[in-house]
Amino acid sequence: AQKVTQAQTEISVVEKEDVTLDCVYETRDTTYYLFWYKQPPSGELVFLIRRNSFDEQNEISGRYSWNFQKSTSSFNFTITASQVVDSAVYFCALSEAGNTPLVFGKGTRLSVIA
Amino acid sequence: GAGVSQTPSNKVTEKGKYVELRCDPISGHTALYWYRQSLGQGPEFLIYFQGTGAADDSGLPNDRFFAVRPEGSVSTLKIQRTERGDSAVYLCASSQTGISTDTQYFGPGTRLTVL
């Protein structure tokens, strides 16, 4: 069965600090896809990144970076030099090949304080 | 282009009533998903359409919940005999083809409150 665990319920940082959001997943499939979504106070889920299980290269996009490690079944998300606009709930999600609905973690609420 | 839209944005109803929630996917997207998000939780899958047909309805909690997508675009989630436990945000998402590699794009959700 698929499962996504985001152990950090809430994180609070001061602006310009770096912060890492943890995501651990479980799946029996060898082919699967991992996602991060951001849910700002407005409520709409905003897609951030998709990664497939065959690509373990880390990815950087501006202040965002993602560290995918199959050995530990983790797909962690780091925000560098955090800003107040980064305040949101962040969700990690998983889908298996041939099974397209997403399985989400419970989310991590990030508060960035000015 | 326009994103996924959902109406109404808020719905308050009384226990036992029937409600319909509407989702307009991104134009041209063949796959459409419904999820439910309770307070403090991540979204949970309800049902997935590929075109007009329900490809996977394994997430529907019971037979009070039903969804249709008669012309392969707009979808309606229908809840009969609502219960207080149905209160949640109902999210709709669409993707281009519905294969696993596709990104799902979400609408703003409908907040349902059952009194």
Side-chain angles (χ1 to χ4, degrees):
Chain A
Q2 308 168 69
K3 186 178 179 183
V4 175
T5 301
Q6 294 181 255
Q8 303 150 310
T9 306
E10 293 193 36
I11 300 176
S12 187
V13 298
V14 176
E15 204 171 22
K16 296 183 185 174
E17 285 185 355
D18 299 347
V19 58
T20 295
L21 310 182
D22 297 334
C23 172
V24 174
Y25 61 92
E26 295 176 30
T27 176
R28 292 183 186 148
D29 268 20
T30 54
T31 303
Y32 51 89
Y33 305 88
L34 296 163
F35 302 78
W36 276 94
Y37 283 85
K38 174 182 180 179
Q39 189 172 45
S42 61
E44 191 160 342
L45 281 163
V46 177
F47 166 74
L48 296 177
I49 190 172
R50 178 185 70 234
R51 212 85 186 123
N52 74 57
S53 53
F54 298 109
D55 183 1
E56 282 194 77
Q57 274 196 334
N58 291 331
E59 180 147 345
I60 298 175
S61 175
R63 297 184 297 107
Y64 295 171
S65 62
W66 289 270
N67 184 337
F68 176 27
Q69 293 200 344
K70 287 177 78 169
S71 61
T72 55
S73 297
S74 65
F75 186 43
N76 296 338
F77 172 30
T78 297
I79 302 174
T80 303
S82 59
Q83 300 176 2
V84 172
V85 293
D86 296 328
S87 297
V89 181
Y90 290 86
F91 290 97
C92 181
L94 164 74
S95 72
E96 295 172 339
N99 187 20
T100 58
L102 296 170
V103 173
F104 285 84
K106 291 188 175 183
T108 297
R109 180 177 299 278
L110 173 65
S111 298
V112 181
I113 303 163
Chain B
V4 177
S5 63
Q6 293 186 246
T7 54
S9 55
N10 279 284
K11 176 72 178 177
V12 180
T13 191
E14 293 179 344
K15 181 174 178 289
K17 299 290 189 184
Y18 168 83
V19 296
E20 289 189 351
L21 312 179
R22 176 189 167 108
C23 172
D24 244 299
I26 293 172
S27 178
H29 280 194
T30 62
L32 185 147
Y33 306 79
W34 284 99
Y35 293 83
R36 178 167 72 172
Q37 186 176 19
S38 300
L39 196 61
Q41 303 294 316
E44 293 179 326
F45 168 70
L46 295 175
I47 186 170
Y48 150 52
F49 287 90
Q50 185 63 265
T52 60
D56 183 351
D57 65 357
S58 61
L60 295 177
N62 52 59
D63 61 7
R64 295 187 297 105
F65 287 75
F66 188 71
V68 295
R69 195 185 184 200
E71 297 176 359
S73 56
V74 171
S75 175
T76 305
L77 178 65
K78 308 180 181 195
I79 310 174
Q80 297 178 322
R81 305 183 303 280
T82 51
E83 299 178 356
R84 293 197 179 90
D86 299 335
S87 296
V89 175
Y90 289 80
L91 296 167
C92 177
S94 71
S95 69
Q96 194 153 15
T97 65
I99 60 175
S100 303
T101 53
D102 271 359
T103 296
Q104 294 179 29
Y105 296 94
F106 284 80
T110 294
R111 182 176 299 278
L112 174 66
T113 303
V114 182
L115 301 176

